[in-house]
Amino acid sequence: MKKIGLLLLLAATAMWAQSAADAAPSNPTTPPGTVFTTATFPIQRVQMPTYADVYCAGFINKQSLPDANYVEGGLQTPGTTKFVRGDVVYLKGSGYTLGAQYEIIRALRDINEYEMFPGQRKLLKATGQPYEEIGRVRVVDTRSKAAIALIEYSCDPINPGDTAIPFAEKSMVAFHPPLRFDRFMPTTTKVSGRIVMGKDFDSEVGTGQKVYFNVGSNQGVKVGDYFRAVRNYDEDLHDPVDSLSFKAAISEDTQKMQPSFDPGLWEKSNGPVIHVRDLPRRAVGEIVVIGTTPTTATGMVVFAMEDVHAGDGVELDDQQQTQQPQ
């Protein structure tokens, strides 16, 4: 019996090893000037967007959208001001037809008005108006001055004053197997931009969270494209908090020649001067595009080596585009 049990255990182990080998990506051909290591080419196992990710992501639009059609209340108005799936709401405006679906969106403003990176406010103003996607309704009665609609899907509670626009189906992103993530890949693409802001005005985001950047379909960006989030060490040098680490003591007391990072006139040590602009640029995460406008794109972080920041650069990942399954 012990022998049979051992044979079964060995067979199960062999099957597990085979399935693990099938799931793991093969080692890529290393680019010239590199040596393959798991630190520089980690396995990228991505989190793919769900229906809720795609339809609740929000977006930035270059121009403000028409807001003549909007939610003016609901069945329990004024006792209830927030409405969710299954509730009845009333739509003000014109052009409503029986059975038509409308997306409910909300123009946003940042009440904190705090810049996550220098120049963010100016960049966001140039990029467009941020919108939150709240939910979807279907018109069920048009006999009154206000159209009556049923909420079929809600991302967040719908409020009076939220805008109603015609609903449009969105493309879902196809799954792809794990790949190797080239952490220090030099710039290889002409399509690049910057993360203008994170969803809900977040400054630091991780896997599964949404970001908006300032390149769109006019630059050839489409749903399903992958972008790498990249960061130079200059960003830390110019950050009012992170820059303090460059001024802190970094040497061993016994180190004879002590280095300094981009020192000021009276800050140079007796050792080498290290310029952070000469340090390698690093990729911090992978973002898949889940929505576009002519000048902007909405992306979801599907893989992150560290926090992705508002203000990080984004570049179309040519490696990902060529390795996606057809």
Side-chain angles (χ1 to χ4, degrees):
M1 291 295 292
K2 289 183 178 180
K3 186 175 181 180
I4 294 175
L6 179 61
L7 289 174
L8 290 173
L9 178 61
L10 290 173
T13 303
M15 291 177 64
W16 175 86
Q18 180 64 42
S19 62
D22 292 340
S26 58
N27 290 351
T29 302
T30 56
T34 66
V35 174
F36 177 81
T37 71
T38 55
T40 55
F41 292 91
I43 297 175
Q44 181 186 141
R45 293 186 173 90
V46 301
Q47 175 179 319
M48 300 310 294
T50 64
Y51 183 92
D53 289 324
V54 172
Y55 282 93
C56 301
F59 59 93
I60 295 178
N61 204 65
K62 184 68 174 176
Q63 288 84 29
S64 295
L65 296 174
D67 57 4
N69 289 4
Y70 58 91
V71 177
E72 64 173 358
L75 191 62
Q76 282 81 36
T77 294
T80 299
T81 59
K82 299 183 182 297
F83 307 98
V84 296
R85 183 176 180 177
D87 287 343
V88 169
V89 293
Y90 306 138
L91 303 180
K92 181 71 172 181
S94 60
Y96 298 112
T97 58
L98 198 61
Q101 291 179 299
Y102 286 83
E103 182 179 15
I104 306 301
I105 61 173
R106 180 181 302 154
L108 300 175
R109 64 185 181 96
D110 185 1
I111 59 175
N112 294 316
E113 296 186 350
Y114 177 80
E115 288 196 329
M116 303 303 177
F117 58 89
Q120 183 189 24
R121 192 178 298 111
K122 182 178 179 180
L123 178 60
L124 181 56
K125 185 177 180 181
T127 304
Q129 169 64 52
Y131 285 92
E132 182 178 359
E133 294 176 298
I134 311 298
R136 182 182 72 247
V137 303
R138 184 184 296 274
V139 177
V140 295
D141 194 324
T142 58
R143 293 174 297 176
S144 304
K145 288 184 178 180
I148 301 170
L150 181 68
I151 300 176
E152 295 187 328
Y153 189 82
S154 60
C155 307
D156 281 316
I158 293 173
N159 285 10
D162 288 340
T163 303
I165 61 174
F167 174 75
E169 293 284 350
K170 297 186 179 183
S171 301
M172 300 299 291
V173 177
F175 174 80
H176 76 74
L179 299 172
R180 292 288 180 179
F181 184 66
D182 190 346
R183 202 170 184 181
F184 298 100
M185 178 186 289
T187 300
T188 60
T189 179
K190 294 181 180 178
V191 182
S192 62
R194 196 173 190 186
I195 296 175
V196 177
M197 60 175 278
K199 181 175 167 59
D200 299 324
F201 300 101
D202 287 338
S203 60
E204 301 180 1
V205 300
T207 302
Q209 293 181 275
K210 318 302 182 302
V211 295
Y212 314 112
F213 35 92
N214 59 347
V215 288
S217 58
N218 285 350
Q219 291 77 39
V221 179
K222 60 186 182 300
V223 172
D225 281 346
Y226 285 84
F227 278 75
R228 300 162 64 80
V230 296
R231 187 181 310 147
N232 293 314
Y233 289 88
D234 275 341
E235 301 295 329
D236 297 319
L237 183 64
H238 296 119
D239 186 276
V241 176
D242 292 340
S243 61
L244 298 176
S245 296
F246 286 113
K247 303 181 188 307
I250 61 171
S251 308
E252 288 288 335
D253 293 338
T254 56
Q255 190 173 9
K256 183 177 180 180
M257 306 298 287
Q258 299 198 357
S260 55
F261 283 95
D262 287 295
L265 183 61
W266 307 108
E267 298 173 340
K268 188 179 183 303
S269 64
N270 65 342
V273 173
I274 299 173
H275 297 288
V276 296
R277 65 177 178 272
D278 297 330
L279 298 176
R281 186 196 67 169
R282 69 191 190 272
V284 297
E286 193 81 17
I287 302 168
V288 66
V289 175
I290 58 178
T292 63
T293 74
T295 57
T296 68
T298 300
M300 172 177 156
V301 179
V302 293
F303 175 78
M305 298 294 297
E306 53 185 286
D307 291 340
V308 177
H309 295 173
D312 283 345
V314 289
E315 296 178 353
L316 185 67
D317 193 339
D318 295 325
Q319 181 187 27
Q320 283 272 24
Q321 315 314 315
T322 58
Q323 296 194 48
Q324 286 188 65
Q326 301 300 317

